[in-house]
Amino acid sequence: MRESTGTRERIKAVALELFTEQGYEKTSLREIAERLNVTKAALYYHFKSKDEIVSSFVEDRLDRMDALIAWADEQPSTLATRRELIARYADSMFATEQPSVMRFFEQNQTALKSLAAGQQMRDRMFRLADALARGDESPAAQLRAALSLFAVHSSWFAIRAPRVTDEERRKIALDVADELLARIADG
Amino acid sequence: MRESTGTRERIKAVALELFTEQGYEKTSLREIAERLNVTKAALYYHFKSKDEIVSSFVEDRLDRMDALIAWADEQPSTLATRRELIARYADSMFATEQPSVMRFFEQNQTALKSLAAGQQMRDRMFRLADALARGDESPAAQLRAALSLFAVHSSWFAIRAPRVTDEERRKIALDVADELLARIADG
DNA sequence: GTCTATACGTCGATAGAC
DNA sequence: GTCTATCGACGTATAGAC
């Protein structure tokens, strides 16, 4: 079943890049195929449809999110747990090739709404926010929890100062996230 | 030059609604025309192209942003200024029909990157963030400024608690934004 | 496992009649 | 100011040869 040349992986890589750069809708299969010097039909051998390409690189991420949520559910609703949770989330974001998948999601919110994979990710983000705010059902807590997640994400583009390393971005994001989480009441 | 029936305004309204609901790329001119019981060609009488429809309802908003930035530039770099600035921003967001335009922007980040109107809005958002962080050039200040803006925006969807009024959302958003802004050093 | 060839729909946009 | 008719390009997807 596994072909030797890794065409499937190459398709995933190119698709991720183009979907992120120009958007899911604006990227045609013809364009992906041309970059790889194969035909559109070749793509259809590896993936049933265009959205199945998306699902393929979203699955890993969904699994990570599920693991994170499951872990959080077993912990007490304390500030320490919230801090540990956001740190683990940041790690899973900054690790390996995940940043590119993360950027893809940020860039394709709209397109993802009509895709199964997108709805699942949306769902997981809300559940993660709920886990971060657990024990404090106030609207303000919901907003702070969501913003702490967004602190991790936006550290990639909101920080425009020159010569800031990934590690520094991560630290700054977590510092700001911690401030927000500190204002959520323990359950 | 002005037609009596206000067709142009009706086109804008329907386009804004559909672009927001399903995304700019996924909404065709045919769809917009059908809703209005006219043909595509009629749309081209009122607008030179699809993206010109977008520009038409973005212009107001750009003007508001420019006014806000100009005002901020004349003020001292103090916490009081930052708080006043974010409050004015929130007001301009929650006022009149602006929430729908705002939602359109949130839903079409990707598509807007290749549209002139989108690039202009992006530029204004960064300038507003810079105005909020003026006097503190640290990366953390940039992140806090961006997050305070996002607090205003995300209050619309991040707060999922039932029976929260718009006015309450506005207040919560500004409370959280103020916390973030308080950590930015005065210039 | 990858190709050629093609079906068939829809897109944004234009020309020209009324 | 709105219409009909049409353009050329491109979209996803499939059939079937090699």
Side-chain angles (χ1 to χ4, degrees):
Chain A
M1 310 301 161
R2 275 278 69 76
E3 82 282 18
S4 45
T5 43
T7 307
R8 196 185 148 96
E9 291 308 311
R10 290 172 63 230
I11 294 172
K12 283 175 66 168
V14 169
L16 180 56
E17 186 187 331
L18 292 180
F19 287 167
T20 304
E21 264 174 31
Q22 1 178 300
Y24 175 78
E25 322 261 15
K26 280 192 81 169
T27 304
S28 67
L29 295 181
R30 182 188 52 75
E31 208 173 348
I32 297 172
E34 270 173 13
R35 273 257 199 141
L36 292 165
N37 281 112
V38 296
T39 61
K40 279 189 293 175
L43 303 186
Y44 278 94
Y45 171 80
H46 293 283
F47 298 94
K48 280 209 315 283
S49 68
K50 193 183 179 185
D51 25 298
E52 218 204 35
I53 302 179
V54 173
S55 315
S56 78
F57 51 66
V58 161
E59 270 163 27
D60 278 2
R61 170 131 222 95
L62 274 178
D63 288 346
R64 286 166 186 264
M65 296 276 288
D66 283 339
L68 222 46
I69 294 164
W71 175 83
D73 283 346
E74 291 169 2
Q75 308 305 123
S77 305
T78 63
L79 175 57
T81 297
R82 292 195 289 274
R83 287 194 161 148
E84 176 70 19
L85 180 55
I86 195 83
R88 286 181 184 222
Y89 179 73
D91 286 344
S92 86
M93 295 269 104
F94 284 80
T96 66
E97 15 63 66
Q98 290 301 310
S100 29
V101 178
M102 185 171 130
R103 279 207 63 221
F104 164 78
F105 272 102
E106 282 163 22
Q107 293 298 317
N108 288 282
Q109 271 199 316
T110 319
L112 283 166
K113 278 175 72 171
S114 45
L115 263 41
Q119 288 164 355
Q120 289 172 317
M121 271 299 301
R122 234 182 120 74
D123 172 68
R124 299 310 192 283
M125 288 303 291
F126 278 125
R127 283 211 242 161
L128 207 52
D130 285 341
L132 283 168
R134 187 153 50 89
D136 183 344
E137 304 307 320
S138 70
Q142 290 189 326
L143 183 58
R144 290 192 180 96
L147 280 179
S148 71
L149 286 170
F150 198 67
V152 174
H153 284 249
S154 62
S155 64
W156 284 98
F157 60 86
I159 298 176
R160 285 152 294 142
R163 288 178 302 281
V164 178
T165 66
D166 287 358
E167 186 47 41
E168 285 166 338
R169 278 174 207 277
R170 180 183 173 283
K171 184 172 184 328
I172 293 164
L174 288 182
D175 283 349
V176 175
D178 279 356
E179 290 164 20
L180 287 159
L181 295 177
R183 302 253 183 172
I184 297 177
D186 279 12
Chain B
M1 310 302 160
R2 275 276 71 75
E3 82 284 14
S4 45
T5 43
T7 309
R8 196 185 148 97
E9 291 309 310
R10 289 172 63 228
I11 295 172
K12 282 175 67 169
V14 170
L16 180 56
E17 185 186 333
L18 292 180
F19 288 166
T20 303
E21 262 174 33
Q22 357 176 307
Y24 175 78
E25 321 263 14
K26 280 192 82 171
T27 304
S28 67
L29 296 180
R30 181 188 51 75
E31 206 175 350
I32 296 172
E34 270 173 12
R35 275 256 200 142
L36 293 165
N37 281 113
V38 295
T39 62
K40 275 193 296 173
L43 304 186
Y44 278 93
Y45 173 79
H46 295 281
F47 298 95
K48 281 209 314 285
S49 68
K50 192 182 180 185
D51 29 295
E52 217 204 37
I53 303 179
V54 173
S55 316
S56 78
F57 51 68
V58 161
E59 269 162 27
D60 276 2
R61 171 132 221 94
L62 275 178
D63 289 345
R64 286 166 184 266
M65 297 275 289
D66 283 338
L68 222 47
I69 294 164
W71 175 85
D73 283 347
E74 292 168 1
Q75 307 305 121
S77 304
T78 63
L79 174 57
T81 297
R82 292 195 289 275
R83 285 193 163 149
E84 176 69 20
L85 180 54
I86 196 83
R88 286 179 183 223
Y89 179 72
D91 286 343
S92 86
M93 296 269 103
F94 284 80
T96 65
E97 16 63 66
Q98 290 301 310
S100 29
V101 178
M102 186 171 132
R103 277 206 65 220
F104 164 78
F105 272 103
E106 282 162 22
Q107 293 298 318
N108 289 282
Q109 270 199 318
T110 318
L112 283 166
K113 278 175 69 170
S114 46
L115 263 41
Q119 287 163 357
Q120 289 172 318
M121 271 299 302
R122 235 182 120 74
D123 172 68
R124 299 310 191 282
M125 288 302 291
F126 278 124
R127 283 210 242 164
L128 207 53
D130 286 340
L132 284 168
R134 188 152 49 91
D136 183 345
E137 303 307 320
S138 70
Q142 290 191 326
L143 182 57
R144 289 192 181 95
L147 280 180
S148 71
L149 286 170
F150 198 66
V152 174
H153 285 250
S154 62
S155 64
W156 284 96
F157 59 86
I159 299 175
R160 284 153 293 142
R163 288 178 302 284
V164 178
T165 65
D166 287 358
E167 186 48 41
E168 284 165 339
R169 278 174 207 277
R170 181 184 173 282
K171 183 172 185 332
I172 294 164
L174 288 182
D175 283 349
V176 175
D178 279 356
E179 290 164 23
L180 288 159
L181 295 176
R183 301 252 183 176
I184 297 178
D186 278 11

